[in-house]
């Protein structure tokens, strides 16, 4: 995976495959603490002990022999820059995966195109509610597709016109956020 | 702070309603992009984005997109499966954004599968 936005997409796809109806993606950039944290939580079926063990085992592969499993890949990316990955999960309890990174570590992967990740998730999973929260020091952004869907009164969130509005909104936030970097 | 205001959404909703009500609920084509770890590493997100761009450009409301996990054919990722109503599904592999656009125009809009990119036709359902 080239960047963190692709990891986020991968981890969120797991949530969807676990029948989550709500997926929360939280990104916190704290330059003061020199910390980047990415948290993906869902209300899906959760993992039992057995599955959890497999997920932590870098040599365990299911179908995909080429790239390996998504969670160990993200864990490795975190560890490469003094970070770590933690999983909170249990059968019926949903799953929360949190990855921490040293913000300015030379090997820290860039965030990448978060907007593209969010749009792909939203456009291909109209029945899932996505909450995207992103902060950079004191500035923050939040988007909740459940609120948007309520306003749409039955017009699908996947309509190209709606998708474009959401895309523009996220892009604007991301642009402004990066403009503030001195 | 969310910049998306309720007013924005209301305006859009009114505009969309007029075009959408015609085909309430139904869709004519479904495209599944394989979005397992191997697919994503091979560029599946870009394939989906190209597809969404084409859908917006063509202004079609009856084509839906979805994703699936790894189907075991990791060497041929990125992959997508196209299902047109009442037709057998067609699975495409080794995709690029340009190939996806071509498939959208030829197969999804035009109804003719793009055989040169197809891996399999029919029998199996979507993964
Ligand atoms: N959010 C989650 N909720 C429940 N189970 C999960 C979740 N994330 C991962 N798992 C379990 O962990 C396993 C390993 O996940 P991982 O993403 O590493 O590979 P995969 O999803 O099986 O394969 P691929 O992503 O290539 O299709 C999954 O098959 C699933 O059983
Ligand atoms: Mg996965």
């Amino acid at each position: 995976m080239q960047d963190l936005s692709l990891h986020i997409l991968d981890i969120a796809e797991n949530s969807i495959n676990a029948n989550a109806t709500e997926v929360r993606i939280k990104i916190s950039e704290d330059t003061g603490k020199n910390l980047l944290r990415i948290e993906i939580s869902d209300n899906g079926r959760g993992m039992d002990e057995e599955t959890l063990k497999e997920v932590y085992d870098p040599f365990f592969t299911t179908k995909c022999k080429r790239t390996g499993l998504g969670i160990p890949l993200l864990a490795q990316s975190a560890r490469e820059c003094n970070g770590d990955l933690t999983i909170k999960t249990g059968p019926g309890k949903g799953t929360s995966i949190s990855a921490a990174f040293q913000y300015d570590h030379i090997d820290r992967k860039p965030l990448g195109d978060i907007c593209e990740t969010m749009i792909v998730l939203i456009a291909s999973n109209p029945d899932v509610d996505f909450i995207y929260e992103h902060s950079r020091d004191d500035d923050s952004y939040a988007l909740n597709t459940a609120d948007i869907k309520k306003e749409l009164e039955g017009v699908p969130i996947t309509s190209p016109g709606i998708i474009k509005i959401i895309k523009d909104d996220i892009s604007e936030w991301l642009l402004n956020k990066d403009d503030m970097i001195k | 702070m969310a910049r998306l205001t309720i007013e924005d959404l209301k305006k859009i909703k009114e505009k969309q309603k007029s075009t959408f009500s015609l085909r309430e609920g139904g869709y004519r084509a479904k495209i599944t992009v394989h979005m397992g770890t191997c697919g994503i590493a091979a560029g599946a997100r870009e394939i989906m984005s190209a597809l969404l761009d084409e859908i917006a450009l063509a202004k079609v409301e009856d084509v839906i997109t979805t994703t699936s996990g790894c189907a075991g054919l990791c060497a041929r990722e990125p992959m997508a499966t196209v299902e047109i109503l009442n037709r057998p599904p067609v699975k495409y592999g080794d995709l690029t954004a340009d190939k996806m656009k071509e498939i959208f125009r030829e197969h999804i809009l035009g109804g003719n599968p793009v055989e040169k990119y197809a891996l399999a036709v029919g029998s199996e359902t979507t993964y």
Side-chain angles (χ1 to χ4, degrees):
Chain A
M1 294 293 168
Q2 288 140 300
D3 62 50
L4 297 174
S5 71
L6 290 171
H7 279 292
I8 292 172
L9 177 59
D10 185 33
I11 302 296
E13 281 289 331
N14 285 344
S15 301
I16 291 157
N17 292 335
N19 294 327
T21 55
E22 185 183 286
V23 180
R24 183 182 294 266
I25 292 166
K26 190 172 172 184
I27 304 172
S28 322
E29 302 179 51
D30 188 332
T31 56
K33 285 193 192 136
N34 195 14
L35 182 73
L36 168 67
R37 185 174 290 281
I38 291 173
E39 217 176 311
I40 296 122
S41 338
D42 67 57
N43 63 351
R45 87 171 83 85
M47 290 182 246
D48 55 23
E49 292 278 325
E50 195 97 327
T51 312
L52 197 56
K53 242 185 265 159
E54 291 168 359
V55 161
Y56 277 120
D57 178 0
F59 298 107
F60 180 88
T61 51
T62 44
K63 307 144 284 189
C64 278
K65 290 173 190 74
R66 249 181 137 209
T67 25
L69 293 173
I71 297 168
L73 281 179
L74 177 58
Q76 189 191 335
S77 294
R79 269 183 247 113
E80 274 165 10
C81 43
N82 289 334
D84 62 8
L85 179 136
T86 50
I87 305 176
K88 273 189 235 153
T89 187
K93 287 191 182 141
T95 300
S96 176
I97 294 184
S98 173
F101 306 81
Q102 179 186 323
Y103 194 78
D104 66 359
H105 196 285
I106 188 135
D107 292 325
R108 204 254 301 159
K109 287 181 184 175
L111 276 174
D113 196 338
I114 301 289
C115 184
E116 195 176 358
T117 283
M118 289 311 305
I119 292 301
V120 162
L121 286 169
I122 294 167
S124 48
N125 301 283
D127 299 331
V128 179
D129 295 333
F130 290 98
I131 298 158
Y132 163 50
E133 297 169 319
H134 192 156
S135 66
R136 191 192 145 83
D137 298 331
D138 292 334
D139 203 4
S140 69
Y141 175 87
L143 179 120
N144 185 341
T145 63
D147 294 343
I148 297 175
K149 280 184 250 180
K150 249 180 263 155
E151 286 306 317
L152 292 175
E153 289 171 7
V155 172
I157 193 163
T158 53
S159 290
I162 312 284
I163 289 296
K164 174 152 196 317
I165 300 239
I166 298 174
K167 192 175 181 173
D168 290 348
D169 201 60
I170 299 177
S171 306
E172 194 193 318
W173 145 253
L174 291 172
L175 273 174
N176 286 341
K177 168 182 84 71
D178 288 336
D179 271 355
M180 310 217 314
I181 300 176
K182 297 276 148 61
Chain B
M1 68 221 97
R3 285 151 176 88
L4 207 53
T5 66
I6 303 292
E7 280 311 306
D8 287 340
L9 290 167
K10 280 201 173 121
K11 262 183 261 162
I12 299 301
K13 179 186 68 188
E14 291 314 319
K15 229 171 53 193
Q16 296 286 319
K17 250 186 178 163
S18 50
T19 53
F20 189 74
S21 53
L22 303 172
R23 322 173 192 88
E24 204 80 54
Y27 59 88
R28 188 181 57 80
K30 178 169 99 173
I31 303 116
T32 305
V33 178
H34 299 207
M35 207 67 79
T37 305
C38 51
I40 293 170
R45 187 181 68 180
E46 199 192 331
I47 303 304
M48 181 61 94
S49 287
L51 191 55
L52 294 173
D53 287 347
E54 287 297 305
I55 291 173
L57 261 173
K59 296 195 170 61
V60 286
E61 298 268 353
D62 57 356
V63 174
I64 61 166
T65 61
T66 183
T67 58
S68 70
C70 168
L73 254 180
C74 307
R76 307 303 297 272
E77 297 283 2
M79 288 169 46
T81 305
V82 174
E83 289 171 273
I84 310 270
L85 207 64
N86 301 323
R87 297 279 183 83
V90 180
K91 196 187 297 288
Y92 293 102
D94 305 312
L95 290 174
T96 61
D98 283 339
K99 287 182 190 174
M100 191 67 242
K101 288 181 179 185
E102 191 179 336
I103 292 165
F104 181 81
R105 286 171 199 159
E106 294 293 319
H107 189 178
I108 296 148
L109 294 183
N112 305 308
V114 187
E115 274 169 41
K116 58 185 170 181
Y117 305 143
L119 298 177
V121 181
S123 59
E124 14 175 21
T125 44
T126 338
Y127 286 96

